[in-house]
Amino acid sequence: MYVHVKSTPVPIPPSGQYSPKRLHHNGRLKLQQFGPIVRQKLPGNTNLLYLFDPEDIEAMYAKEGRYPSRRSHLALQKYRLDRPHMFSTGGILPTNGKHWWELRRRAQKSMNKVSAVASRLPQVDEVCKEFAELISKVRREGSGRVGHFLDLQKRLFLELTITSLLEVRLGKLDDHSDEAEQLAHAVDETNCVVLPTDNGLQLWKYVRTPMYRRLVSAQDTIYRIAFKYVETKDDELRHARQKKKAEGESEPDTKHVTSILESFFESGLEDKDIVGLVSDTLMGGIDTGAYTMAYVLYSLANNQDKQDLLALEARRLLDASDGKVTTKVLSEARYLKAVMKETYRLHPISIGVGRVIQEDTVIRGFRIPKETVVVTQNQVISRLPEHFPDPQRFLPERWLHKAPPAHPFVVLPFGHGPRSCIGRRMAEQNLQTIILQVGSCSSVRMAKYILTERKHMVSRCG
Ligand code: HEM
């Protein structure tokens, strides 16, 4: 394995300093040792280029073109392309080029539609209130602590994703339904195999390796459940149309607010595409939400003064709205949004964004050949003092001024441009609602808790 700096191959010292499980640490080391642009060769002749300067990241984005390309979820793509009776594409995550855009353009019409996402806010709020009540109920006697909190958060975001997208409830949060457990396990399994199958030797392309078999089993489960809900919704919509026709109402009601799933059907997507999108959404919505929430609560736990300020805002807004989180409440929750942004800066759940360069490009005076895989290092640079004074401190107040506190390409939790996170609107609504509901709860307090490298919050994959 070699790292190239300024075109000179420099072998990484064989001291075990780089670990596939400590990507943030690897990124920091590379910046310190080799500077703001680093090339690493992976097995299989793939070049990885790490960018640490926001100007260079901006330059990369400026060249990403109409169909920004990413190299990820390759084994998932194989799973789907091998099953044309179930899927018409590899899905939005791994597909590139025009085929990606055909899927994305239709899907984002629904997922980015303000009214479609907001139409689910009352149900999302109900789930969040239930969660706040549940954690008060399940506290251990004596210590008042809640055990297995991350699992509870994953269960919450599974329910929130299903509620936001499929308009159904899997069940109460403390009811361990088979379907909820199977889905949560299948999503965990998929997330565990993505990185090793993308970056390893890729034997799975030729033989069914144990990793690939885990993916197949997990994806079979996700497909089965997604298919069931899509089929049910399809039937429901067909019956509604037939009923309207029978009643003589031929024109569609244009004032009717359609939900995300409903607008998937209206957008001309095939049923197979919709099942694929629902599966991708289940995979995209659970761990991302649960870990972000965990980091928000962790940051508040260790900054009691900020926790108090958030609680004050949450109680003031919820007292005026009968305890309900509404679109008005969300639009007025200024401190909450600053808390979220500061958490994305200190604890983004993604180290940065990956792109495959589409044409030969010059960055920082170096010619970067077409097909190079670039990984931006936002997680590392958003903690550098040249971008944020006192960078290790959790200071939501940085974000309350009119002017942005740093270069706009330093903190990019949802990516940027046409290939940025398609679920951002839904994710932000879900996260803001749960933080307001938990933050306003007078019986809940986040107690000081320090994470160490050993006690980290990232899933340990078996
Ligand atoms: C805090 C929550 C979330 C964070 C921080 C997050 C972050 C990201 C990031 C960094 C990307 C890559 C963007 C890029 O390449 O420019 C991404 C892509 C994506 N996200 Fe999210 N995400 C979150 C929640 C969600 C949710 C709730 C969903 C689904 C409902 C979702 C679905 C997706 C999908 C399908 C893509 C691929 C889009 C494409 O390739 O066109 N994400 N997300």
Side-chain angles (χ1 to χ4, degrees):
M1 186 155 48
Y2 286 90
V3 169
H4 289 208
V5 202
K6 301 192 178 165
S7 324
T8 318
V10 180
I12 291 179
S15 57
Q17 319 178 54
Y18 292 93
S19 148
K21 290 194 173 162
R22 301 173 76 211
L23 298 180
H24 60 300
H25 171 79
N26 299 348
R28 267 199 316 259
L29 265 183
K30 281 177 190 138
L31 173 65
Q32 280 162 12
Q33 293 183 308
F34 306 114
I37 181 163
V38 178
R39 177 161 76 108
Q40 178 177 4
K41 247 178 166 277
L42 291 184
N45 218 14
T46 303
N47 280 316
L48 274 187
L49 186 78
Y50 300 102
L51 296 182
F52 292 89
D53 186 315
E55 296 283 339
D56 296 341
I57 296 174
E58 187 170 10
M60 178 209 79
Y61 271 120
K63 289 285 184 83
E64 70 173 0
R66 280 184 71 192
Y67 310 128
S69 181
R70 214 176 23 230
R71 180 189 167 281
S72 75
H73 296 78
L74 304 177
L76 173 66
Q77 185 174 36
K78 173 177 164 51
Y79 167 86
R80 290 189 177 161
L81 294 180
D82 284 351
R83 291 163 178 76
H85 57 293
M86 288 154 67
F87 302 96
S88 38
T89 70
I92 197 166
L93 289 158
T95 304
N96 286 317
K98 276 192 186 151
H99 291 303
W100 161 77
W101 179 238
E102 273 311 301
L103 212 53
R104 169 88 194 206
R105 133 183 117 75
R106 293 198 169 95
Q108 72 185 13
K109 261 194 206 153
S110 319
M111 293 183 73
N112 287 347
K113 203 154 121 195
V114 180
S115 59
V117 176
S119 71
R120 301 302 299 160
L121 182 54
Q123 290 76 12
V124 162
D125 192 33
E126 278 307 308
V127 177
C128 293
K129 271 191 194 156
E130 189 188 312
F131 183 84
E133 282 159 21
L134 180 68
I135 55 176
S136 306
K137 226 167 61 186
V138 297
R139 275 180 303 189
R140 288 191 195 123
E141 246 177 68
S143 72
R145 286 169 189 255
V146 179
H148 304 289
F149 198 59
L150 191 57
D151 291 339
L152 275 182
Q153 290 171 105
K154 287 193 181 187
R155 176 70 187 88
L156 166 71
F157 275 88
L158 170 59
E159 198 68 35
L160 287 175
T161 308
I162 295 266
T163 303
S164 306
L165 184 80
L166 302 179
E167 304 152 42
V168 289
R169 288 284 312 257
L170 282 175
K172 289 273 176 200
L173 295 172
D174 53 352
D175 149 29
H176 298 282
S177 83
D178 276 356
E179 201 163 72
E181 303 233 325
Q182 285 167 12
L183 259 180
H185 178 68
V187 169
D188 261 354
E189 282 285 281
T190 303
N191 288 338
C192 282
V193 304
V194 167
L195 215 59
T197 46
D198 276 351
N199 291 341
L201 269 179
Q202 307 197 340
L203 289 176
W204 52 264
K205 282 187 178 165
Y206 315 102
V207 282
R208 283 170 65 102
T209 59
M211 277 279 172
Y212 189 72
R213 281 205 297 270
R214 276 170 74 182
L215 178 82
V216 169
S217 159
Q219 285 301 311
D220 284 350
T221 303
I222 296 178
Y223 175 83
R224 178 174 44 78
I225 297 174
F227 182 83
K228 183 185 85 179
Y229 285 112
V230 171
E231 201 182 30
T232 309
K233 187 72 188 177
D234 197 12
D235 285 349
E236 203 182 296
L237 291 174
R238 198 167 322 113
H239 285 135
R241 273 196 305 272
Q242 281 166 355
K243 194 166 162 240
K244 266 191 180 175
K245 212 169 164 189
E247 287 166 358
E249 283 181 48
S250 54
E251 286 300 306
D253 177 1
T254 49
K255 284 204 193 99
H256 174 66
V257 178
T258 47
S259 62
I260 298 177
L261 187 56
E262 229 173 307
S263 38
F264 278 169
F265 283 101
E266 286 171 7
S267 67
L269 283 163
E270 278 184 44
D271 283 11
K272 282 190 211 172
D273 292 331
I274 299 177
V275 176
L277 273 170
V278 168
S279 308
D280 287 341
T281 308
L282 288 172
M283 287 183 285
I286 300 172
D287 281 13
T288 50
Y291 287 118
T292 303
M293 175 181 175
Y295 280 123
V296 175
L297 299 184
Y298 171 72
S299 305
L300 293 171
N302 292 316
N303 295 276
Q304 298 282 326
D305 52 334
K306 314 298 177 204
Q307 190 176 153
D308 291 342
L309 286 172
L310 181 83
L312 267 180
E313 178 177 85
R315 282 181 205 138
R316 176 174 56 77
L317 291 170
L318 292 190
D319 282 353
S321 75
D322 205 15
K324 293 193 173 93
V325 175
T326 60
T327 47
K328 181 167 180 288
V329 166
L330 291 183
S331 70
E332 289 173 4
R334 262 188 94 222
Y335 196 72
L336 166 72
K337 282 175 199 139
V339 164
M340 299 303 304
K341 285 184 185 152
E342 187 66 344
T343 308
Y344 293 139
R345 178 184 77 80
L346 279 167
H347 307 287
I349 50 152
S350 171
I351 54 166
V353 168
R355 288 287 179 271
V356 181
I357 295 285
Q358 311 273 303
E359 53 183 88
D360 289 2
T361 304
V362 174
I363 297 180
R364 203 171 263 268
F366 294 105
R367 191 181 65 81
I368 314 297
K370 186 179 163 179
E371 299 298 327
T372 302
V373 179
V374 176
V375 183
T376 67
Q377 291 290 314
N378 301 81
Q379 187 184 36
V380 171
I381 64 176
S382 57
R383 283 184 180 226
L384 295 179
E386 56 259 46
H387 301 305
F388 292 96
D390 210 353
Q392 305 299 336
R393 274 188 70 199
F394 179 75
L395 279 179
E397 288 70 13
R398 300 177 202 273
W399 302 93
L400 290 175
H401 309 291
K402 269 209 171 123
H407 189 289
F409 285 78
V410 176
V411 181
L412 295 175
F414 294 95
H416 172 82
R419 194 128 202 196
S420 62
C421 177
I422 198 171
R424 179 175 189 162
R425 205 176 279 286
M426 186 200 290
E428 298 217 87
Q429 175 167 285
N430 290 346
L431 278 160
Q432 291 174 14
T433 307
I434 186 62
I435 300 299
L436 278 178
Q437 285 296 359
V438 172
S440 72
C441 237
S442 51
S443 59
V444 176
R445 211 165 163 81
M446 275 70 79
K448 199 169 169 64
Y449 182 81
I450 303 293
L451 281 176
T452 60
E453 286 277 329
R454 287 193 177 280
K455 269 200 286 182
H456 55 58
M457 282 194 266
V458 175
S459 294
R460 286 176 185 276
C461 298

